[in-house]
Structure formats: C-alpha cells, structure tokens
Amino acid sequence: MAGLSRRRFLHTAGGAALLGGVAGVLPACASAGEGSSVDLATAALDTDRRYLDPLGAHQVGVVATHQAEGLLAAFTVHARDRDELRDAFRALTEEIRRLMSGIPYEERDPDFPPLHTGTVGNPVPPSDLSVVVSVGASLFDERYGLADRRPVELEPMPFLANDRLDPDRTHGDLLLNIASADQEVTLFALRQLMRVTRGNLGLHWMLEGYNRRTEAAPGEAGVRNLMGFVDGTANLDPSDDGLMDRLVWVADGDREPAWATGGTYQVVRVIRMFVEFWDRTRLGEQEALIGRRKSDGAPLDGEVETDVPDYAADPDGERTPLDAHIRLANPRTAETEDQRILRKGFSYSRGFDGDGQLDQGLAFVSYQRSLERQFLPVQARLAGEPLEEYLLPEGGGFFFALPGTPDEGDFLGEGLLR
C-alpha cells in the first residue's frame, strides 16, 4: 500500500471491499474545504462513525464534532535543520492521512518490526478520527530561521489571572490535538504518529480526556463538564462556514504572513477543578457562580438551555449576577459580538495529588482568528470572577493551527517551511 494515495485507494475495488469488510458501507467523508458544512452537519446527527477527509483548505479537526475522546500531546522538536524539520512535517502529514482515511498498513515479513501496533486492527476502523497540528512560538526561535515567519500574535502564553503554570505541562514547539470516538483509536494514532517522527520530535507533555455526550437538540451543547453543568451552549456553530470565516480562520488581508491564511490561533488551558470543594457548595451558589441552572442548562432568567439571557433587562444582576461566569464571558453586546471563540475542550482525570485530592479538570481548547481581539479580552473580563476559587490553571499554551492541505501533494506546514 506504500505510495498509494488515499483517493486512489478509496476508488479501487480492493480498497472499497477491504473498508467495507471492516465498517460496512463507507460513509461519506467530511472535510473542512469549501462546501463542508452539509457534510459536517450530517456527521453531527449520524451515529455511524466515519473517516474524515484530511484534505481541505483548513484542518478538519478544528471543526469536527461529536468526538468523545481527546488527547493533547506537545513536543519539543529535535530536527537538526530546516530540511529535517520539513521531513518531519511530511511524515506527519502522510501518517495523518493514512489514519484518518483508513488506508491499511503493509504487513511486513516477520523478520522486521510490524508497521503498526496491531491494537485496533488493520486498517484503523472508522472512528471520526482527526488530528490537528499546531506550532508554538518557540519553533520560531533561531534554530530553523523562521523568526520572520512567526504569526504576529503568537507569543508564549503569559501567566494570566489565577495561573500557577507548571513548566512541565506548558508550551511546546509543536502540538498534536487528536480526537476520535474511541480511546483506543486515539492512542493508536498517537503511537503511529510518534513512530514516524521519533527522530525529530520528543514528547514534552500530554493530557488525555473525554466528553460525556448526551442527546442534544440544535443549539444545545450536549456536554457537561466535571462541575456537572452543561458546557458549550453558546459556542460557535462549526457548520456555519460564514461564521468560521469571520471568527476562526485567518484570511488574506489579515496582518499575518501569507502562509498563515487558512490557519487559526489555538489556546490550550489545563484548568484543574477543585471538584471536592465544589461538591460541598450549595446548589444555589453553584448556579449563581455559573449563571445557569444545573438541571437543564437554562440561563437563570430563561426556561430552556437555548434561551438567550436578557442582561439588558437585568442591569443590577438580580436574576443573573453581574459576576456570573457566562455573563462575564459573553455579555451579549454588540461590542463583544466578534470576540466569540470556537471551544473544543474536554474533561480530564489524572488520579489524585499528594494531599489525596482528586486531580480533575478541563482541558480548555479554543480556536479564534485573533488572540488580541477575541481570547484575551474575554480572559480579561473573567479575571477575578468568584468562580476562580474553584479553579487553578496549571498548563497549556498558545499555538497556531496550520492551514490545511487542499491537495494530496501538499504537506502540513509547507508554506511555512519553503
């Protein structure tokens, strides 16, 4: 199968028969290219797992939905020069396409190590698998002569309000954000990607988690965080191409290097939740801190989850406190309309700490066209909120998710590394 392109494979009788044997009829792929919204919307309602199309102007994992398992892996790049760095990105791209498309691995002679771990079969089954490749500010230091190509707003994540950042879980030259419907497939993808880049990439930190999904009507979040609240009701609709163009994707004419068009800024915040402390807090206080009812996710002045809170009718915060989390994060004003961000986080659990307290929390992940105009103003409004008493940001970083690869001959980061 080596050298056989994904599209050629899918169009061969052998390829179709093999994929059908594993997953039944091959579902239509979803991509982040032009006209992708219908495919993605269908995927959101479809219980069948599928292969996502890795080709498109944008990385499809940014907008893919309904993936229950997530993993973040940050790497330090050890490539000796730009040529080796380019080789690493080519290898990543080729392996990502194989994994996302279900192209089988060659079964080698027993005298050689196998080309895949064997943990999920061969090929990888359809699991809504996606991989987003992002770069950190440190990749633009003196090692590869890329300083003049750095996205203009990409800096190491500073200490923000209430942060206690652990250097061992913060920043990174390169970040992989892997998501799928199956934990086994997510871990399989990580091992295969590390296998093909082992000479040039070394793990810096990683975090694995999940989203417990519930049935959700249009406009509902379908996810609860570890505080027990519905999380993501007012999120951007990733199937709205116009909204994604306006608020997520870097575009021609932005004050960014040309290669960055089609990419997006990515924020990762590893936020520990003091869940045992939270569990001892009165329900009424919990709801006032968040600004929503815990039972159904409705705003405190509404009836159902999708009701839009009317802050203008509540100027003194009698129904929704002025310092409630959702009111600070999204005041629902014309001035803050374009500060909205696309959130794609997941919950995590890492056992317990030295004091016997559960180490659980939220891997907050967001995508936005600008850090300065979107994420940072939102973060500034949240500084000092009463909810901080229950949270401790401990890691993460600022990254830039690379543009997609429209054609099979392209590789991720090609414009950056020319």
Side-chain angles (χ1 to χ4, degrees), residues 237-296:
D237 179 358
S239 69
D240 186 334
D241 290 343
L243 197 58
M244 295 298 101
D245 287 342
R246 184 158 64 91
L247 297 178
V248 174
W249 308 124
V250 168
D252 289 335
D254 289 356
R255 54 174 189 140
E256 299 287 356
W259 72 264
T261 296
T264 179
Y265 284 96
Q266 182 183 26
V267 173
V268 176
R269 304 269 292 163
V270 179
I271 303 173
R272 182 172 176 182
M273 295 174 170
F274 299 118
V275 292
E276 289 141 310
F277 181 25
W278 181 255
D279 292 343
R280 296 193 295 270
T281 302
R282 291 182 300 108
L283 175 60
E285 184 176 346
Q286 291 184 3
E287 293 182 331
L289 289 168
I290 299 295
R292 291 188 180 276
R293 287 201 300 268
K294 195 170 187 177
S295 59
D296 56 13

Side-chain angles (χ1 to χ4, degrees), residues 6-7 10 27-33 36 39-40 50-61 96-97 100-101 128-130 405-406 408:
R6 172 195 166 275
R7 283 181 174 163
L10 293 178
C29 290
S31 79
S36 63
D39 287 342
L40 288 171
R50 64 185 61 200
Y51 297 113
L52 302 181
D53 192 340
L55 301 181
H58 317 292
Q59 294 193 70
V60 70
I96 288 170
R97 287 178 184 161
M100 290 178 61
S101 303
D128 298 318
L129 173 67
S130 67
T405 53
E408 290 184 347

Side-chain angles (χ1 to χ4, degrees), residues 355-396:
D355 296 324
Q357 300 295 305
L358 292 171
D359 185 357
Q360 301 181 351
L362 170 70
F364 171 93
V365 178
S366 71
Y367 297 97
Q368 48 273 301
R369 187 170 173 178
S370 167
L371 295 174
E372 294 177 0
R373 297 193 305 274
Q374 295 171 268
F375 173 78
L376 291 174
V378 173
Q379 188 67 27
R381 283 197 299 273
L382 292 171
E385 64 170 326
L387 188 62
E388 279 185 354
E389 190 174 5
Y390 300 88
L391 308 174
L392 182 64
E394 296 182 321

Side-chain angles (χ1 to χ4, degrees), residues 7-324:
R7 283 181 174 163
R8 184 182 167 196
F9 168 72
L10 293 178
H11 283 83
T12 61
L18 182 52
L19 291 174
V22 172
V25 178
L26 178 69
C29 290
S31 79
E34 186 176 356
S36 63
S37 60
V38 173
D39 287 342
L40 288 171
T42 302
L45 299 173
D46 194 343
T47 57
D48 293 334
R49 298 168 181 180
R50 64 185 61 200
Y51 297 113
L52 302 181
D53 192 340
L55 301 181
H58 317 292
Q59 294 193 70
V60 70
V62 174
V63 295
T65 58
H66 283 226
Q67 295 159 304
E69 304 293 333
L71 187 153
L72 295 161
F75 293 84
T76 300
V77 175
H78 299 302
R80 290 172 294 186
D81 52 36
R82 194 186 296 183
D83 286 341
E84 286 193 357
L85 182 62
R86 194 180 291 115
D87 290 343
F89 277 80
R90 280 200 182 99
L92 270 179
T93 304
E94 183 175 340
E95 191 67 13
I96 288 170
R97 287 178 184 161
R98 176 186 291 276
L99 290 163
M100 290 178 61
S101 303
I103 298 174
Y105 293 87
E106 174 190 356
E107 299 294 354
R108 302 173 79 184
D109 186 282
D111 289 337
F112 296 92
L115 291 175
H116 63 92
T117 67
T119 55
V120 297
N122 183 25
V124 60
S127 302
D128 298 318
L129 173 67
S130 67
V131 182
V132 176
V133 179
S134 305
V135 293
S138 56
L139 190 69
F140 297 86
D141 60 15
E142 71 285 354
R143 287 173 291 172
Y144 307 111
L146 299 174
D148 61 347
R149 305 181 185 189
R150 182 176 57 82
V152 297
E153 297 181 13
L154 185 60
E155 302 284 353
M157 184 174 71
F159 279 75
L160 301 172
N162 196 39
D163 281 7
R164 191 185 300 167
L165 301 181
D166 178 355
D168 291 337
R169 290 195 287 158
T170 308
H171 309 312
D173 293 332
L174 183 145
L175 182 75
L176 300 181
N177 189 351
I178 306 172
S180 80
D182 298 289
Q183 182 187 37
E184 294 87 350
V185 170
T186 302
L187 292 172
F188 173 79
L190 175 66
R191 286 175 64 178
Q192 293 299 122
L193 292 168
M194 290 181 62
R195 178 193 181 103
V196 300
T197 57
R198 190 166 301 279
N200 291 315
L201 301 183
L203 263 177
H204 175 45
W205 59 268
M206 64 176 284
L207 185 66
E208 186 184 359
Y210 58 92
N211 278 315
R212 177 182 175 276
R213 296 201 168 273
T214 58
E215 290 295 328
E220 296 179 348
V223 174
R224 287 182 183 266
N225 59 33
L226 291 180
M227 289 182 159
F229 279 76
V230 172
D231 194 351
T233 302
N235 204 4
L236 300 181
D237 179 358
S239 69
D240 186 334
D241 290 343
L243 197 58
M244 295 298 101
D245 287 342
R246 184 158 64 91
L247 297 178
V248 174
W249 308 124
V250 168
D252 289 335
D254 289 356
R255 54 174 189 140
E256 299 287 356
W259 72 264
T261 296
T264 179
Y265 284 96
Q266 182 183 26
V267 173
V268 176
R269 304 269 292 163
V270 179
I271 303 173
R272 182 172 176 182
M273 295 174 170
F274 299 118
V275 292
E276 289 141 310
F277 181 25
W278 181 255
D279 292 343
R280 296 193 295 270
T281 302
R282 291 182 300 108
L283 175 60
E285 184 176 346
Q286 291 184 3
E287 293 182 331
L289 289 168
I290 299 295
R292 291 188 180 276
R293 287 201 300 268
K294 195 170 187 177
S295 59
D296 56 13
L300 297 182
D301 63 349
E303 299 297 327
V304 297
E305 179 187 340
T306 52
D307 283 348
V308 176
D310 187 356
Y311 300 138
D314 182 27
D316 298 323
E318 294 180 357
R319 299 293 302 275
T320 306
L322 300 178
D323 53 7

